[in-house]
Amino acid sequence: MPDPILTLQGLNAFYGDFQALYGIDLEVAEGEVLAIIGANGAGKTTLMRSISSLTQNRPEMVRYRGEDIGALRADEVAARGIALVPEGRQLFPSLSVEENLIIGGQIGRKGAWSLPAIYKLFPILEERRHQQSTSLSGGQQQMVAIGRALMANPDLILFDEISLGLAPIIIKDIYAALPGIIGEGMSALIVEQDITKALAVSSRFYCLQEGRVSLEGTSATIAREDISRAYFGVA
Amino acid sequence: MEWVNAIVQGTLLGGLYALFAAGLSLIFGVMRLVNIAHGDLIVLGAYLGLSVTTVLGLNPLLALIVVVPIMAAFGYVLQRGILNQTLGKDILPPLLVTFGLSVIIQNALLESYSADPQKLNAGALETASVAVGSLSMGLLPLLTFGIAIAVIAALQWTFYRTALGRAFRATSDNQEIAQLMGLNRRHIFGLAMALALSVTAIAGIMLGIRTSFDPSIGGGRLIFGFEAVIIGGLGNLWGTLVGGVILGVAQAIGAKIDPGWQLLAGHIAFLVILALRPNGLFPRING
Amino acid sequence: MNLSNLHVTRTSRAAKAAAVVGALILIVLIAAPWWAGRADMRLMGELFLYLALASLWNLMAGYAGLVSVGQQAYVGFGGYMLFALTIFGGIYPLGAIALAGVLGALVAVPVALLIFRLRGAYFAIGTWVIAEVFRLSFAQVSALGGGSGSSLPVGIVKSLAASRSGREHLSYWLALGSTVIVIAAVYLLLRSRNGLALTAIRDNELAAGSLGIDIWRTKFVVYVVTAALTTMIGALIFLQKLRISPDAAFSVNDWTAFVIFIVVIGGIGTIEGPIIGTLIFFVLRETLADLGTIYLLVLGVVAIVIMLKAPNGIWGLIRGRFDIELFPLSFRVKTTHPSKKG
Ligand SMILES: Nc1ncnc2c1ncn2[C@@H]1O[C@H](COP(=O)(O)OP(=O)(O)OP(=O)(O)O)[C@@H](O)[C@H]1O
Ligand SMILES: [Mg+2]
């Protein structure tokens, strides 16, 4: 296995007194696509937030390219090349479609992704570029959210339930576009409720259950029963 | 004719109130902070203008070149050093901390400049006037009004046409996600306060040229600015100009009826608008 | 452990001790005319009135989330009503104070309807506008001396008590009594159903709303009650001062800034906070007042530092260390000894 780009060591996360993650150990290799699956409330979003430093960690809990980044601010983590497509899209309502994309590139990292490249990937966004982002359909908003993250030219991109609330046909489109997106040598963590989709695009997976890793393995070879056991915690 | 004159003078006075209001509106727009010390910062701007004009012998308008950067730097430091620590869900800390700041500024000014009223001397500009038909308009009020328009246009442009403005709007929309775009919100807020205090410096100097001032008048200036913001509609920069003008005209009409009614008439206009249009005349549509 | 050994209670040993000590202190204070000098009594009277104002402001800001920087509106209104009712209405001063409270409540109703349209911090500045309107309006009333103000006629002052010392004792007891009444009222209000609603609102306004608590109504009641009591305190303050002018009556520094400092320093959102804050404030004032503006500067700095470093004030620090509550409001779970079980 190539060098890991990201290593989590005993990652804990809290909301006030409530502990949402317990000692997560996880590795993402350079160029690898990893799936994170788990039931509602398992802690998937919390994991994404911890990696992005939106929640406070201890420095050594998150290691990225040989650097302890757990205690950095979220903007410092972003500047190092980790981008998040957040759950529920979370576009900036006061910004137009194009401004949402431009602000994604504000970090100024060099790479393949630029405004024209995004418009080539999602042509509809170019047509709607001066519209307010909130006036788009859910699927189009998701494209903006993905484009916004790509504009940072990240080395590691985190997708949190990009299919949430979208029609199956749109989900299909987005997943069809994913290999083209990730193909450029990026590493990716994909959180997804739809296990089949998640396993299809990933090489390995981790399953979370009540804040702990209940199973990890190779996406192609895992047995369905093992997953449902790890997923729901039933024997 | 006298009434027309009163309305024209009131309108021009509204320019000054819009300058009071613009900084307040900007800060609220970016970080939902209501700065109780805003009026005292305006007065601080006037006093800095006084020191610069006496030490360097400059015209107060030229003193802006010195005072604006000083106030901007002060704003940035203030925001990063103190005010950023107060921002959160609870409205109490920012309110009480800026209230404490207001008392500090007021008494620091008293300590260094005494309670004697002061004025900035802009020479011939103060008495010059232009005649339009039978109306005579003072050059200074006209200039103030023009500056107010220019300042608001510049703020509007910054907000909607520049990377900084984009960062302001994004941070205002969603601080967490803005951080993910590599924006350090503490720095962004510092810049917003720096910009707001630049405008405040301009407001302070125009105030100081127009009337005499002393350390205690900050509260009143905060109230005028606040009324202009609410009348115009929260978050609407051009609205603050309209709000300032309405306030100025109401005061001028009140003063025409009875000099003791000037301020009261302005407050009453504000309360009437609050009763009829609680969101102001031109509320911004999106949140 | 057996669950039936547990019971929920509000009282604690510290609270019971505090009640006893409090009662003793109260008796000593009532007896002050027999042991304290004239100047000390004046100072204590002033202290009690500040304590009452601070407790009322704390009820609004610390419990109902209504941060006002305009309570001077009611202090001044109370003062002016005392003067107007006694001079023009010929009403005995104590009756005038009570009537002023009623009028304060009546005025507060339309004011609340108007400024409750402003949210959060803008509400605060709205209250200040109201206070300005009051100040400017009373400055227009020439019968009450207009902008320069007026004095309470000697006849009215004498009607309180014939001798000077008699008047001084009476006004001391009035100040003490009003503080006791205000603190008791706040305490009882917080222990009532309304109090639970208030605490719920303070802790989480959204959740309180979804529990079916009428937030608007609760806040409205607090605002009006506070206004009425503040008006009465205002009348008392100017019964002591015997002179009133718009600038003194509606001073934001005297009746709001100091009060806010007291509450912030003592600890906002607790009954004990204003008491501690008032004591500290008066100690600071009596020792540093000669410094003039520097003293106010220091006060501002102290308030900011406390707000940033210890937002629950001095009482918060004490409570955090010893877990005590002198005015028992929160419920505690206690174990009873099995022997005592009925
Ligand atoms: N802001 C919060 N405050 C308190 N608890 C939270 C908060 N956000 C999440 N939690 C709790 O943390 C746990 C993990 O939540 P998280 O959002 O990470 O789950 P998830 O796996 O992303 O679920 P979903 O599939 O529904 O998105 C849950 O028990 C949730 O209730
Ligand atoms: Mg989630």
Side-chain angles (χ1 to χ4, degrees):
Chain A
M1 200 163 96
D3 281 345
I5 182 169
L6 179 80
T7 312
L8 304 183
Q9 278 173 343
L11 177 73
N12 297 323
F14 298 86
Y15 294 102
D17 291 336
F18 176 77
Q19 184 161 7
L21 293 179
Y22 297 85
I24 305 281
D25 294 319
L26 178 150
E27 263 188 18
V28 190
E30 191 92 50
E32 186 184 24
V33 177
L34 202 66
I36 308 282
I37 57 178
N40 292 126
K44 307 180 297 293
T45 299
T46 309
L47 184 66
M48 302 285 118
R49 291 174 57 85
S50 296
I51 297 172
S52 314
S53 265
L54 287 177
T55 53
Q56 279 308 297
N57 315 302
R58 278 199 278 115
E60 69 284 1
M61 286 179 175
V62 187
R63 212 172 158 72
Y64 174 75
R65 291 196 179 289
E67 184 191 2
D68 289 336
I69 62 163
L72 296 182
R73 290 193 316 262
D75 57 297
E76 293 170 327
V77 169
R80 280 164 174 70
I82 299 180
L84 170 65
V85 181
E87 185 175 13
R89 305 182 275 273
Q90 311 232 38
L91 301 181
F92 298 112
S94 323
L95 271 56
S96 69
V97 168
E98 186 155 295
E99 284 180 313
N100 265 285
L101 294 174
I102 292 174
I103 205 165
Q106 180 127 337
I107 292 177
R109 288 171 56 90
K110 300 265 175 304
W113 293 107
S114 59
L115 217 45
I118 303 287
Y119 287 150
K120 195 153 160 257
L121 180 66
F122 301 122
I124 184 74
L125 296 188
E126 183 159 23
E127 277 170 44
R128 303 286 165 90
R129 58 199 238 202
H130 294 305
Q131 250 167 273
Q132 271 212 322
S133 48
T134 43
S135 67
L136 299 185
S137 77
Q140 292 162 348
Q141 289 191 24
Q142 191 66 70
M143 294 173 195
V144 178
I146 294 173
R148 185 177 63 180
L150 288 174
M151 284 288 287
N153 283 301
D155 295 334
L156 172 64
I157 187 163
L158 317 172
F159 294 99
D160 195 350
E161 296 203 34
I162 44 180
S163 59
L164 187 77
L166 301 184
I169 176 110
I170 296 169
I171 301 178
K172 227 178 102 206
D173 282 355
I174 288 186
Y175 270 87
L178 264 192
I181 295 169
I182 307 170
E184 327 267 331
M186 255 181 229
S187 312
L189 266 172
I190 299 185
V191 168
E192 194 51 76
Q193 292 275 353
D194 185 334
I195 301 171
T196 317
K197 286 238 151 50
L199 295 183
V201 292
S202 61
S203 54
R204 290 191 306 128
F205 73 91
Y206 284 74
C207 185
L208 292 187
Q209 189 196 318
E210 292 182 359
R212 293 182 171 85
V213 176
S214 57
L215 185 68
E216 57 172 294
T218 314
S219 303
T221 58
I222 189 69
R224 271 315 173 113
E225 311 76 90
D226 292 341
I227 289 195
S228 25
R229 194 173 315 126
Y231 199 90
F232 298 110
V234 287
Chain B
M1 205 60 221
E2 268 179 47
W3 287 98
V4 175
N5 187 44
I7 289 171
V8 170
Q9 306 303 341
T11 305
L12 295 182
L13 177 59
L16 185 63
Y17 294 161
L19 283 175
F20 293 168
L24 208 56
S25 179
L26 175 76
I27 288 304
F28 184 80
V30 176
M31 52 185 134
R32 301 284 174 274
L33 173 83
V34 175
N35 183 0
I36 299 266
H38 185 73
D40 305 287
L41 288 163
I42 293 174
V43 179
L44 174 66
Y47 274 106
L48 287 179
L50 181 70
S51 289
V52 170
T53 46
T54 38
V55 171
L56 300 180
L58 287 178
N59 181 288
L61 288 176
L62 284 177
L64 279 172
I65 302 169
V66 184
V67 177
V68 168
I70 294 179
M71 288 290 281
F74 179 60
Y76 187 85
V77 172
L78 180 68
Q79 185 67 39
R80 294 216 60 169
I82 297 177
L83 297 179
N84 271 338
Q85 296 178 50
T86 68
L87 296 178
K89 285 209 166 52
D90 194 356
I91 65 153
L92 211 55
L95 210 64
L96 297 185
V97 167
T98 56
F99 191 78
L101 192 64
S102 150
V103 172
I104 293 175
I105 295 174
Q106 234 178 79
N107 287 287
L109 288 176
L110 261 177
E111 194 60 30
S112 21
Y113 293 95
S114 87
D116 300 336
Q118 304 281 358
K119 212 180 146 307
L120 297 178
N121 183 355
L125 176 66
E126 290 181 25
T127 47
S129 64
V130 287
V132 180
S134 59
L135 278 177
S136 160
M137 287 188 271
L139 204 54
L140 179 66
L142 268 177
L143 182 68
T144 309
F145 197 80
I147 289 178
I149 291 178
V151 162
I152 290 175
L155 287 179
Q156 190 82 8
W157 179 79
T158 308
F159 239 71
Y160 292 100
R161 295 275 174 274
T162 67
L164 181 64
R166 205 162 49 223
F168 283 162
R169 282 178 290 142
T171 312
S172 160
D173 280 348
N174 189 332
Q175 294 186 18
E176 275 196 342
I177 305 296
Q179 297 262 97
L180 295 180
M181 307 295 119
L183 300 170
N184 177 4
R185 65 170 175 209
R186 301 183 166 275
H187 176 62
I188 298 290
F189 289 162
L191 293 178
M193 188 55 90
L195 187 58
L197 287 208
S198 310
V199 176
T200 302
I202 300 174
I205 293 213
M206 296 322 286
L207 167 76
I209 299 175
R210 188 187 170 101
T211 58
S212 64
F213 53 92
D214 67 74
S216 72
I217 67 164
R221 303 324 102 174
L222 165 72
I223 289 179
F224 294 154
F226 157 77
E227 289 177 332
V229 169
I230 300 286
I231 293 175
L234 272 184
N236 183 336
L237 280 168
W238 285 114
T240 59
L241 184 63
V242 179
V245 166
I246 290 178
L247 192 61
V249 168
Q251 288 188 357
I253 291 176
K256 193 96 199 54
I257 298 168
D258 176 337
W261 274 80
Q262 181 182 355
L263 298 183
L264 207 47
H267 295 322
I268 289 169
F270 160 75
L271 292 175
V272 168
I273 288 172
L274 184 61
L276 301 179
R277 297 281 300 258
N279 293 320
L281 299 178
F282 310 103
R284 207 176 63 163
I285 314 297
N286 59 56
Chain C
M1 190 148 81
N2 188 339
L3 260 185
S4 63
N5 290 345
L6 300 175
H7 71 271
V8 176
T9 176
R10 268 174 157 160
T11 55
S12 66
R13 188 163 301 176
K16 281 177 192 155
V20 174
V21 174
L24 288 176
I25 292 179
L26 190 59
I27 291 170
V28 172
L29 287 176
I30 291 173
W34 290 277
W35 56 264
R38 180 167 265 167
D40 292 337
M41 263 173 52
R42 268 195 86 80
L43 188 65
M44 285 195 288
E46 198 190 350
L47 186 150
F48 295 142
L49 292 173
Y50 263 107
L51 175 53
L53 288 179
S55 297
L56 289 168
W57 188 85
N58 180 46
L59 175 65
M60 288 215 313
Y63 288 95
L66 293 168
V67 186
S68 165
V69 291
Q71 286 309 92
Q72 68 272 22
Y74 297 104
V75 173
F77 180 76
Y80 269 104
M81 284 306 106
L82 170 77
F83 277 51
L85 292 171
T86 51
I87 297 175
F88 307 120
I91 299 173
Y92 181 67
L94 296 188
I97 290 171
L99 196 52
V102 176
L103 293 174
L106 287 179
V107 167
V109 170
V111 167
L113 291 177
L114 207 51
I115 57 172
F116 272 35
R117 293 161 170 249
L118 296 164
R119 300 253 130 255
Y122 279 114
F123 170 84
I125 310 182
T127 60
W128 198 348
V129 173
I130 297 292
E132 280 300 287
V133 169
F134 278 33
R135 180 176 70 84
L136 294 164
S137 303
F138 278 104
Q140 293 295 308
V141 182
S142 48
L144 287 165
S148 47
S150 62
S151 298
L152 205 58
V154 183
I156 293 172
V157 179
K158 289 237 162 87
S159 76
L160 265 179
S163 70
R164 178 168 167 200
S165 66
R167 285 197 297 277
E168 279 169 358
H169 296 174
L170 182 62
S171 88
Y172 170 82
W173 281 323
L174 283 172
L176 176 60
S178 64
T179 301
V180 172
I181 290 173
V182 164
I183 293 178
V186 170
Y187 178 58
L188 291 176
L189 179 71
L190 291 177
R191 278 189 80 130
S192 72
R193 266 187 59 85
N194 269 319
L196 288 179
L198 275 177
T199 318
I201 291 172
R202 179 189 60 177
D203 293 344
N204 187 339
E205 181 153 340
L206 225 64
S210 61
L211 287 176
I213 293 170
D214 187 341
I215 295 173
W216 194 93
R217 207 191 120 258
T218 313
K219 289 187 170 188
F220 179 81
V221 169
V222 169
Y223 184 83
V224 172
V225 169
T226 309
L229 291 170
T230 306
T231 306
M232 290 169 68
I233 303 294
L236 265 177
I237 288 175
F238 285 93
L239 184 62
Q240 287 197 343
K241 290 193 183 293
L242 303 179
R243 226 203 106 64
I244 198 164
S245 71
D247 289 343
F250 299 99
S251 161
V252 63
N253 270 331
D254 289 351
W255 313 129
T256 293
F258 292 158
V259 166
I260 292 181
F261 288 144
I262 286 174
V263 179
V264 168
I265 291 173
I268 195 161
T270 61
I271 296 184
E272 296 88 345
I275 301 177
I276 298 201
T278 309
L279 292 174
I280 295 177
F281 174 77
F282 273 80
V283 168
L284 279 178
R285 197 182 80 171
E286 294 307 302
T287 48
L288 297 179
D290 296 343
L291 297 174
T293 51
I294 299 272
Y295 156 66
L296 291 168
L297 264 171
V298 170
L299 214 52
V301 172
V302 168
I304 290 183
V305 170
I306 291 208
M307 206 63 222
L308 293 180
K309 301 292 171 208
N312 296 319
I314 307 247
W315 180 250
L317 292 178
I318 296 174
R319 196 173 51 172
R321 181 145 310 172
F322 303 107
D323 185 33
I324 48 172
E325 209 173 20
L326 300 184
F327 291 86
L329 282 174
S330 49
F331 292 96
R332 296 154 183 266
V333 178
K334 292 199 133 187
T335 357
T336 39
H337 297 290
S339 57
K340 272 199 206 156
K341 219 169 67 182

